[in-house]
Amino acid sequence: MKCAEQDLLLYAVTDRHWLNGRSLRDVVEESLRGGVTMLQLREKSLAEPAFLAEARELSISYGKPLFEGLSFFLEALDVRRKLGPDKIIGVSAQTVEQALLAEKHGADYLGVGAVFPTGSKDDADDVSYDTLKAICRAVSIPVVAIGGISLGNVSQ
């Protein structure tokens, strides 16, 4: 399975802390109606059975590409060996060197950021616009700008 650029045009990541009393299902539905093309289910505090049940329900209900927010502290090459050729692997990168290595090791797309200050990850370092452009020029796989993107800055 390959990751198509059009699937990554508007990539949303779930976070229960932002629901403000609304259900995850309602927020996901609203996001998809609003144009989200890829959804990453990130649930750091759910036990695995509950997480998998949530992922199954959302993927069946909406039929959109859904990533079940898996985080690996491994190189893309090791992840590819473990998961096989039919899974989509996204790798976080903050430098051209990291991006090139991830592509070489089988990443299907890159998440580059944080492009703006973010409150969802305390340890996120900023990536400059120039670095983002350099990464985009250096690799042939899709690049997704991540981190701190909001209605107020999305046009940038």
Side-chain angles (χ1 to χ4, degrees):
M1 176 180 235
K2 284 295 175 195
C3 190
E5 280 189 40
Q6 65 266 21
D7 288 338
L8 298 169
L9 291 177
L10 186 54
Y11 184 131
V13 180
T14 66
D15 190 321
R16 286 188 186 277
H17 295 100
W18 299 338
L19 294 178
N20 296 322
R22 297 165 54 199
S23 76
L24 179 62
R25 183 179 183 86
D26 288 346
V27 171
V28 165
E29 189 172 300
E30 182 180 312
S31 300
L32 294 171
R33 278 196 316 263
V36 164
T37 58
M38 178 75 71
L39 181 71
Q40 178 180 334
L41 180 60
R42 181 173 63 187
E43 298 294 343
K44 296 178 181 181
S45 60
L46 279 184
E48 186 175 338
F51 177 87
L52 293 174
E54 186 100 77
R56 273 189 222 95
E57 180 184 344
L58 291 174
S59 64
I60 290 168
S61 296
Y62 300 106
K64 293 278 187 178
L66 172 72
F67 286 122
E68 297 172 8
L70 303 174
S71 295
F72 293 98
F73 297 101
L74 301 169
E75 293 291 334
L77 184 62
D78 296 327
V79 175
R80 178 64 69 207
R81 282 188 195 129
K82 291 178 185 299
L83 297 180
D86 62 333
K87 302 293 188 240
I88 296 173
I89 298 174
V91 174
S92 296
Q94 293 184 310
T95 67
V96 170
E97 294 76 20
Q98 290 172 348
L100 289 169
L101 183 63
E103 181 179 40
K104 177 182 174 186
H105 285 177
D108 295 299
Y109 76 95
L110 300 172
V112 176
V115 294
F116 295 104
T118 178
S120 67
K121 288 187 85 173
D122 295 335
D123 60 347
D125 292 326
D126 290 347
V127 172
S128 73
Y129 182 66
D130 288 338
T131 299
L132 175 62
K133 287 193 315 187
I135 290 171
C136 289
R137 285 191 303 266
V139 298
S140 61
I141 57 178
V143 175
V144 177
I146 59 173
I149 299 170
S150 68
L151 186 59
N153 62 24
V154 71
S155 64
Q156 297 176 43

